Amino acid sequence: MSRPALSVNRVSHFVRYWWQRLLHNLPQKFLALLLAFALWFVATEDRRASIQQNFNVAVDVRDTTGGSEKRAVSGLNPASVIVTLSGSRQRLAALNASDIQAFVDITDLPDGEFSRTVRVVGPDATRSLKVAPTVAQGRIDAELSRTQPVILSVTAPPSDSVPRYVLAPRQVTVSGPSQVVGTVERVITEPVTLSQGNQTEARLLALDAKGKTVDVRLTPSSITVDRIDSGNLPIRSVPVRLSGVPSNLSVLSSNVEPSTVRLIGPAETLARISSVTASVVYRPGTFSAQPSLVLPDGVRALDRVTVQLTVAAK
């Protein structure tokens, strides 16, 4: 019977000991706790403070309209909006514009012009305050796809070579709103500089009749270009001179493009050629022509010459 009583006394003594320790200097302990909390509050105030930040966000178009006909949007204006978000400094500093959704919903709208409110969905722990502009316009059309051959664009090759290229693929698919696809005149590569026997990836551009870039989808968006020629050929570059002007006419202005041409032929014949004559049929007025070149037998020109003339009668 003495052992249980002894255990109870030990427990009672243990509780009294720690209770006394807790109450010892209690006001000072409470003050220290308050001071620590105040220091933490001040140190983390910058993280908790709510600030505002602007993001330039691309506008997306959402269309869940049913039906077999695909639709596309052209002329979206604006293409991006300024979104103002509020949140903690730490949260906003970690965001990119790609983390924010800005979109217009054109579901079930008829084909033609539209004007819709831009909606914004911000990431968690942020709040959207403002979007500018608030409305986006555009045009809904049926989507059109067609194939188009690729035109290779190259920088000027060395004068002693005749480069040969292989394109893969040689045709691409142009897709987009029917009215926009209809303006595409040609698909070209970005200018390519390629040495003999090498290969490169060339990005494609869709151009209209004025040479301006058209915003369409190109599939694929780039092609492979191989240069397959090897070795150098007997080629010489010489200046182009215009043929004589009739005595009853005078040339007021002239422009020859290019001013030099590359000639290919027997090496001994090329060595004797210092220039070539462009045979022009002169007439009064301002006109453009592609003259024939006077060349020795066995020699041909690798470049086509164009002349622009202003001629007047005497």
Side-chain angles (χ1 to χ4, degrees):
M1 296 297 293
S2 60
R3 287 184 178 179
L6 181 60
S7 297
V8 171
N9 289 336
R10 287 179 177 176
V11 170
S12 176
H13 177 74
F14 179 81
V15 170
R16 285 198 308 272
Y17 172 78
W18 284 107
W19 180 253
Q20 290 173 355
R21 294 286 296 176
L22 178 63
L23 296 180
H24 181 68
N25 294 330
L26 183 60
Q28 292 87 338
K29 292 178 180 178
F30 185 72
L31 182 61
L33 182 62
L34 286 179
L35 181 59
F37 177 78
L39 290 174
W40 171 84
F41 188 84
V42 171
T44 60
E45 182 179 8
D46 185 60
R47 294 184 181 180
R48 291 179 289 101
S50 180
I51 63 171
Q52 299 180 15
Q53 186 168 329
N54 294 334
F55 297 87
N56 191 349
V57 183
V59 178
D60 189 22
V61 177
R62 298 185 181 180
D63 185 7
T64 57
T65 305
S68 58
E69 183 183 76
K70 290 185 177 182
R71 308 200 308 169
V73 171
S74 61
L76 184 64
N77 183 33
S80 63
V81 292
I82 302 298
V83 176
T84 304
L85 296 182
S86 70
S88 68
R89 188 183 304 276
Q90 186 179 27
R91 178 62 174 137
L92 294 184
L95 291 182
N96 295 315
S98 58
D99 299 321
I100 305 166
Q101 301 177 47
F103 64 93
V104 291
D105 194 335
I106 62 169
T107 300
D108 294 330
L109 289 181
D111 290 1
E113 304 291 336
F114 71 85
S115 179
R116 301 291 281 180
T117 300
V118 179
R119 303 179 186 177
V120 173
V121 178
D124 294 339
T126 65
R127 185 164 61 94
S128 176
L129 297 180
K130 186 174 61 174
V131 56
T134 59
V135 174
Q137 297 87 28
R139 181 179 178 82
I140 305 171
D141 287 313
E143 184 171 278
L144 175 66
S145 295
R146 75 181 192 200
T147 57
Q148 191 96 6
V150 176
I151 300 173
L152 178 64
S153 174
V154 296
T155 56
S159 60
D160 61 346
S161 67
V162 181
R164 295 173 57 205
Y165 301 95
V166 174
L167 311 183
R170 296 197 63 88
Q171 291 188 326
V172 295
T173 301
V174 182
S175 303
S178 57
Q179 288 190 347
V180 179
V181 171
T183 66
V184 176
E185 286 290 320
R186 60 190 188 278
V187 176
I188 69 170
T189 66
E190 288 187 327
V192 171
T193 302
L194 199 58
S195 56
Q196 295 172 352
N198 287 339
Q199 180 186 93
T200 189
E201 192 79 9
R203 193 169 71 93
L204 300 176
L205 301 172
L207 303 180
D208 62 14
K210 296 181 179 179
K212 294 183 179 179
T213 304
V214 182
D215 185 16
V216 291
R217 291 195 315 278
L218 299 175
T219 307
S221 60
S222 62
I223 65 169
T224 301
V225 181
D226 284 283
R227 182 170 170 181
I228 61 173
D229 60 287
S230 60
N232 296 328
L233 299 174
I235 296 174
R236 185 175 184 184
S237 294
V238 296
V240 178
R241 304 185 187 280
L242 297 179
S243 59
V245 183
S247 59
N248 63 331
L249 299 175
S250 64
V251 176
L252 302 181
S253 66
S254 65
N255 181 57
V256 180
E257 185 65 35
S259 59
T260 61
V261 293
R262 292 173 301 156
L263 304 179
I264 183 172
E268 61 276 11
T269 303
L270 293 180
R272 295 193 296 267
I273 301 175
S274 59
S275 66
V276 294
T277 300
S279 181
V280 179
V281 178
Y282 294 94
R283 55 183 171 82
T286 298
F287 59 94
S288 177
Q290 290 184 340
S292 59
L293 301 179
V294 180
L295 299 171
D297 291 339
V299 176
R300 64 185 180 91
L302 298 177
D303 305 300
R304 178 174 294 180
V305 174
T306 300
V307 297
Q308 292 181 330
L309 294 168
T310 299
V311 180
K314 290 184 178 179

